[in-house]
Amino acid sequence: MKKICSFLLCLSMVFALTGCFYVDTTTVVDTSDNIKMTSKMGFTKASVDAAGSEYAEMVKDMKLETINGTEYYTETQTASTTVSEWNEAYKGVSIISQNMVYFYADYAEQLASQSGGASEALTNVDMSGAYLAYTFTLTGEIKKTNGTVSESDNKTVTFELKPDANTKEINWYAYTSEDANPETDKAQIIKDLAEKKAAAQQSNEETTKDTTKPVIKGVKKNKTYKNKVTAYIKDNVKVKSIKLNKKTVKVSKLTKVKKGKYKGYYKLLIKTGKKKLTVKLTVTDSSKNKKSVSFKLKGTKKFIKKVKGSFQYK
């Protein structure tokens, strides 16, 4: 799945190379909602040479080969994922299932969403030198599409964007149902992209302005607690990480209090496995603001027998 995401990031970088790139991708969806993807990606040698050392470093491990008379630096990647993971990774670009695929991309909008806003450079992306070929195999016979269905396999469709196509938009779809409405899926993708762009912009603004440290309640500096103690943790934007001494606590595993005095706080119960234990609780937010509290736990003999290691938490 990481390969798919890195592939998307690379593709976005390629747009800045004035569209001089090559992508040939094959995607197969099975009846268990599993997806296998193979992508061959290439940058024209001429565009890399013109772009300078930054892009030369990016292609140093890629293969130099000639395709249709043009020299490309190429790399082939394979990945296995699921329909749900695909739709999450490609949100705002594509929707896929066993019975359909829709791929929509307005290059200026895609780049603007990643950069946090449109710019003159982004809205003037030149795709005239690009070659894109995306092949999808679904689980049933394709009955509605604006692509080319394979003569040997009516479940497979190919979409192609050739050099000098003079377009800044991709709008590809294929369905196994004649009753499908492509406009509905296109509208959903555009909506997803707008939401993604707005969320990224809001996050960027919050992260830029945020200088507020996380809040830790329930434990006090240098105070000693018997056997166990519960700490309550909150941040005005996002809790990024929590550490107990050098041990990292998975924030995703903690629950938030739903009502009462600590509503909205993460609840962290800490138990000692030693007679005497000094604990340093450190919380870091998404803007790298930190808050730390050191306290002590004193364990009774009967209690610490039930605790594995120096301490436990949940």
Side-chain angles (χ1 to χ4, degrees):
M1 192 58 196
K2 291 181 179 178
K3 288 187 176 181
I4 289 181
C5 294
S6 65
F7 168 77
L8 284 172
L9 291 173
C10 287
L11 192 56
S12 299
M13 293 177 68
V14 172
F15 292 143
L17 286 172
T18 64
C20 297
F21 66 95
Y22 171 99
V23 177
D24 191 350
T25 296
T26 299
T27 302
V28 179
V29 189
D30 68 20
T31 55
S32 298
D33 278 349
N34 294 312
I35 295 174
K36 290 186 178 180
M37 179 179 175
T38 301
S39 296
K40 185 174 185 178
M41 179 176 64
F43 304 88
T44 63
K45 184 177 183 299
S47 64
V48 172
D49 291 345
S53 59
E54 179 182 354
Y55 288 97
E57 179 68 19
M58 185 176 68
V59 302
K60 68 178 183 179
D61 296 324
M62 298 175 77
K63 179 182 177 182
L64 182 61
E65 62 177 306
T66 301
I67 303 173
N68 298 329
T70 301
E71 284 188 300
Y72 289 92
Y73 289 101
T74 66
E75 180 181 30
T76 299
Q77 297 183 350
T78 59
S80 296
T81 185
T82 65
V83 166
S84 60
E85 288 176 337
W86 171 289
N87 288 330
E88 181 62 29
Y90 278 96
K91 190 174 183 180
V93 179
S94 174
I95 301 172
I96 198 169
S97 74
Q98 296 178 29
N99 305 312
M100 61 81 67
V101 60
Y102 201 113
F103 205 108
Y104 177 78
D106 178 310
Y107 306 133
E109 282 296 314
Q110 294 295 333
L111 286 170
S113 70
Q114 293 191 21
S115 68
S119 71
E120 183 178 353
L122 297 181
T123 54
N124 287 316
V125 177
D126 176 14
M127 295 296 293
S128 61
Y131 175 81
L132 291 176
Y134 276 55
T135 299
F136 294 89
T137 299
L138 305 180
T139 58
E141 179 182 350
I142 295 171
K143 296 181 179 179
K144 178 181 282 189
T145 183
N146 59 357
T148 303
V149 179
S150 171
E151 294 181 359
S152 60
D153 178 7
N154 55 22
K155 298 178 182 180
T156 299
V157 60
T158 298
F159 304 99
E160 200 173 26
L161 175 67
K162 296 180 179 180
D164 301 318
N166 194 28
T167 181
K168 291 187 178 181
E169 180 182 277
I170 287 176
N171 189 20
W172 297 331
Y173 59 83
Y175 298 89
T176 60
S177 171
E178 294 178 351
D179 298 327
N181 184 356
E183 289 303 315
T184 300
D185 290 316
K186 179 180 178 180
Q188 183 62 53
I189 289 174
I190 292 173
K191 180 183 177 182
D192 288 344
L193 178 61
E195 291 176 352
K196 191 174 182 179
K197 182 180 177 182
Q201 186 172 353
Q202 181 180 356
S203 177
N204 183 57
E205 290 173 355
E206 290 175 343
T207 301
T208 302
K209 297 177 182 178
D210 180 32
T211 57
T212 304
K213 291 182 179 181
V215 177
I216 300 174
K217 299 279 189 179
V219 290
K220 293 184 179 181
K221 183 179 179 180
N222 295 329
K223 187 173 180 179
T224 300
Y225 301 91
K226 183 179 178 181
N227 292 330
K228 60 184 179 178
V229 68
T230 300
Y232 297 91
I233 299 160
K234 190 176 183 180
D235 187 69
N236 62 318
V237 178
K238 181 181 179 181
V239 174
K240 186 71 178 293
S241 69
I242 299 173
K243 283 191 174 183
L244 289 171
N245 294 338
K246 294 183 179 181
K247 188 176 182 65
T248 299
V249 176
K250 290 185 177 180
V251 180
S252 61
K253 297 290 185 181
L254 301 181
T255 58
K256 283 187 176 181
V257 180
K258 295 182 179 179
K259 60 182 180 178
K261 181 179 179 180
Y262 296 114
K263 182 179 179 180
Y265 283 74
Y266 286 108
K267 182 180 178 181
L268 178 61
L269 174 64
I270 308 150
K271 299 178 181 180
T272 182
K274 291 185 175 182
K275 290 183 179 180
K276 293 182 180 180
L277 178 70
T278 298
V279 178
K280 183 178 181 181
L281 171 60
T282 303
V283 182
T284 306
D285 68 14
S286 54
S287 297
K288 298 184 179 180
N289 299 305
K290 287 186 178 182
K291 176 71 174 181
S292 296
V293 177
S294 293
F295 55 91
K296 297 177 182 179
L297 286 170
K298 185 177 181 181
T300 61
K301 188 175 182 180
K302 184 178 180 180
F303 184 87
I304 62 178
K305 283 183 178 180
K306 300 177 182 179
V307 179
K308 295 180 180 179
S310 57
F311 63 86
Q312 287 181 341
Y313 67 87
K314 68 175 183 176

